[in-house]
């Protein structure tokens, strides 16, 4: 059964009625630009074919009820009590089951944004084929699907960037996850065969054709299925190093440093902080270089930038993991044009840019290398840059 059908059936089972419509939004993968978002730098993600579906029916009262194939039972609250549930206190868990806070948080953030709009009650059923917690942003997908549905059913007329901001607000303030806006922008602005360049300071975006499809290329996602225990602490430490580095350079954020500042940075700080800074500064440049290479030379020209990005994360930022290094090295040894870990690090997924005719060879080689190393078997699948949210039915 497709996820779209699963959402419809969950809704009809819950309400005995057909949905008004089914809306969906994609997950995303980051092609390049890692840990640059909170340094006000550049990222280049794209939306993937995997999507989350929200089947929605209007109610004749003022309540919101949400269900997911993911959860045992629906959660139902009066819409006008959302303001009592959210925002969730800092460092606390939401007062509702966490998964439902993604959905209820969207309703809350939309109503807060347009307090005068009439917002009739709704039943919402969610189903998804975006892997959860694999770094593919199932969270942005669920936010985007629900935000798109309610935007239309409530007649709010918000544009995709506004809906991305609503998604971020729900995730930050309702769920309580302190994330940037990259994931929501990548999902909301997805286009077939294009990546989204995002300037995380100005929120300027540009759609960058990747040319992957025309060149016969695919991006393999190699989900290592591991998440190392130090990931939360590691993330916080990296953020602090970046802030310290910027302070020592006398700049607002590392966005304001360039490669020519690195010799000065080496003098101004300890060796570890310097390497953290060097990753961010060079990674920002690699994002710009990737955009230029895609635009001027085509997708085969970005391989070396992907490889350099991985080396920088492994050696300077120190957020790789043995599984990610094996995935990248093996993919490259068996014909990938480029490969790198993607996402926050310490586990999660790597990506490899490969021609159609080596997909099987790379997949088999990585699977074998994981077995030889005694790692958990990876989950490997191909994605290509895909469309943003739309109404499916
Ligand atoms: P990811 O990298 O997949 O975005 P997150 O931790 O940011 O990981 O978001 C995953 C969370 O989003 C899940 O734990 C769940 O609470 C919520 N979520 C994602 N997809 C669904 C779904 N289909 N149904 C219910 N909740 C979902
Ligand atoms: Mg997420």
């Amino acid at each position: 059964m497709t996820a779209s059908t699963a959402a419809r059936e969950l809704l009809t089972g819950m309400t005995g009625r057909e949905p008004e419509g089914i809306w969906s939004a994609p997950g995303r993968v980051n092609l390049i630009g890692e840990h640059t978002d909170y340094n006000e730098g550049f990222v280049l993600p794209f939306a993937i074919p995997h999507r989350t579906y929200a089947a929605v029916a209007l109610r004749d009262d003022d309540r919101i009820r949400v269900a997911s194939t993911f959860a045992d039972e629906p959660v139902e609250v009066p819409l006008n009590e959302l303001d009592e549930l959210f925002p969730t206190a800092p460092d606390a868990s939401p007062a509702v089951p966490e998964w439902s806070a993604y959905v209820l948080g969207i309703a809350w953030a939309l109503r807060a944004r347009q307090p005068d709009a009439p917002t009739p009650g709704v039943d919402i059923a969610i189903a998804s084929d975006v892997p959860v917690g694999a770094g593919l942003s199932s969270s942005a997908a669920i936010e985007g699907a629900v935000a798109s549905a309610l935007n239309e059913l409530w007649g709010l007329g918000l544009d995709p960037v506004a809906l991305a901001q609503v998604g971020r607000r729900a995730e930050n303030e309702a769920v309580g996850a302190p994330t940037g806006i990259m994931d929501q922008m990548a999902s909301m602005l997805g286009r077939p065969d294009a990546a989204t360049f995002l300037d995380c300071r100005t929120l300027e975006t540009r759609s960058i054709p990747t040319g992957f499809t025309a060149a016969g290329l695919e991006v393999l996602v190699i989900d290592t299925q591991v998440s190392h225990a130090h990931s939360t602490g590691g993330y916080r430490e990296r953020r602090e190093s970046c802030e310290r580095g910027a302070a020592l350079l006398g700049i607002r954020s590392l966005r304001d440093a360039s490669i020519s500042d690195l010799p000065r940075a080496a003098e101004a700080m300890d060796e570890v902080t310097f390497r953290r800074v060097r990753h961010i500064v060079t990674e920002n440049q690699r994002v710009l270089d990737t955009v230029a290479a895609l635009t001027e030379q085509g997708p085969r020209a970005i391989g070396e930038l992907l490889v350099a990005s991985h080396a920088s994360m492994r050696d300077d930022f120190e957020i790789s993991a043995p599984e990610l290094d094996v995935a990248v090295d093996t993919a490259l040894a068996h014909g990938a044009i480029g490969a790198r870990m993607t996402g926050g690090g310490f586990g999660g997924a790597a990506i490899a840019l490969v021609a159609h005719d080596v997909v099987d060879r790379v997949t088999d080689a990585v699977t074998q290398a994981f077995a030889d190393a005694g790692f958990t078997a990876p989950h490997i699948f191909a994605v290509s840059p895909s469309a943003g949210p739309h109404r499916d039915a």
Side-chain angles (χ1 to χ4, degrees):
M1 189 181 353
T2 64
S4 176
T5 305
R8 176 189 295 274
E9 291 192 357
L10 184 61
L11 188 91
T12 52
M14 177 167 75
T15 64
R17 292 192 293 142
E18 286 297 312
E20 249 72 44
I22 301 176
W23 288 258
S24 68
R28 65 96 188 94
V29 72
N30 194 17
L31 185 58
I32 194 163
E34 223 64 75
H35 287 260
T36 46
D37 56 346
Y38 55 82
N39 289 292
E40 301 189 305
F42 310 122
V43 294
L44 189 64
F46 65 81
I48 60 175
H50 303 70
R51 304 178 73 86
T52 297
Y53 296 80
V56 187
L58 289 169
R59 298 169 60 109
D60 41 26
D61 61 14
D62 289 325
R63 301 173 74 84
I64 178 168
R65 178 167 52 161
V66 300
S68 167
T69 53
F70 202 89
D72 294 334
E73 22 186 85
V75 175
E76 182 176 332
V77 295
L79 280 165
N80 61 16
E81 285 178 19
L82 291 173
D83 285 337
E84 291 158 34
L85 293 174
F86 307 129
T88 297
D91 298 321
S93 303
V96 289
E98 187 178 80
W99 70 270
S100 71
Y102 287 87
V103 182
L104 299 174
I106 293 290
W108 166 72
L110 284 170
R111 281 163 51 95
R113 195 166 170 127
Q114 308 233 325
D116 298 329
T119 56
V122 281
D123 287 315
I124 303 177
I126 305 288
S128 178
D129 53 32
V130 185
V132 172
L136 298 174
S137 206
S138 66
S139 55
I142 190 172
E143 291 154 14
V146 173
S148 300
L150 295 181
N151 186 44
E152 187 171 332
L153 284 174
W154 286 348
L156 303 178
L158 295 173
D159 66 20
V161 171
L163 294 180
Q165 287 165 337
V166 163
R168 182 194 185 173
R169 180 156 192 221
E171 189 153 344
N172 290 172
E173 297 180 36
V175 179
T179 55
I181 202 171
M182 165 170 88
D183 296 352
Q184 292 84 5
M185 288 287 222
S187 177
M188 292 302 309
L189 299 176
R191 282 202 208 166
D193 216 18
T196 298
F197 171 81
L198 170 63
D199 179 333
C200 297
R201 172 175 281 172
T202 62
L203 298 191
E204 175 215 349
T205 60
R206 232 169 350 125
S207 184
I208 308 294
T210 60
F212 292 165
T213 306
L217 303 180
E218 292 179 41
V219 172
L220 277 188
V221 175
I222 304 163
D223 176 6
T224 66
Q225 318 259 41
V226 297
S227 168
H228 289 286
H230 47 290
S231 65
T232 310
Y235 180 82
R236 196 179 53 239
E237 259 175 48
R238 297 309 181 281
R239 277 190 87 131
E240 285 165 4
S241 293
C242 291
E243 283 164 22
R244 187 166 58 247
L248 288 167
L249 286 170
I251 54 182
R252 170 172 140 183
S253 73
L254 293 180
R255 155 66 177 276
D256 296 312
S258 61
I259 302 221
S260 60
D261 294 313
L262 288 176
R264 181 165 72 89
E267 305 276 293
M269 58 195 72
D270 65 275
E271 197 259 343
V272 171
T273 307
F274 170 66
R275 285 190 289 113
R276 306 296 188 246
V277 167
R278 183 165 61 186
H279 166 68
I280 300 300
V281 170
T282 57
E283 185 79 350
N284 273 329
Q285 187 60 47
R286 282 186 289 271
V287 177
L288 299 175
D289 290 348
T290 301
V291 169
L294 286 172
T295 313
E296 290 156 24
Q297 295 164 267
R300 287 178 180 274
I302 72 170
E304 279 175 28
L305 291 160
L306 301 180
V307 174
S309 172
H310 185 76
S312 178
M313 285 187 282
R314 182 189 60 211
D315 302 334
D316 273 355
F317 221 57
E318 296 181 282
I319 54 170
S320 191
E323 294 85 351
L324 293 166
D325 293 339
V326 166
V328 166
D329 293 344
T330 308
L332 291 171
H334 289 82
I337 293 163
R340 61 184 283 275
M341 54 155 287
T342 183
F346 308 107
I351 55 171
L353 182 63
V354 294
H356 286 312
D357 56 356
V358 298
V359 165
D360 289 347
R361 174 150 49 104
V362 170
T363 302
D364 292 347
V366 172
T367 304
Q368 185 62 49
F370 270 55
D372 293 346
F375 298 156
T376 305
H379 180 207
I380 306 179
F381 49 95
V383 297
S384 41
S386 301
H390 48 70
R391 185 170 179 163
D392 295 77

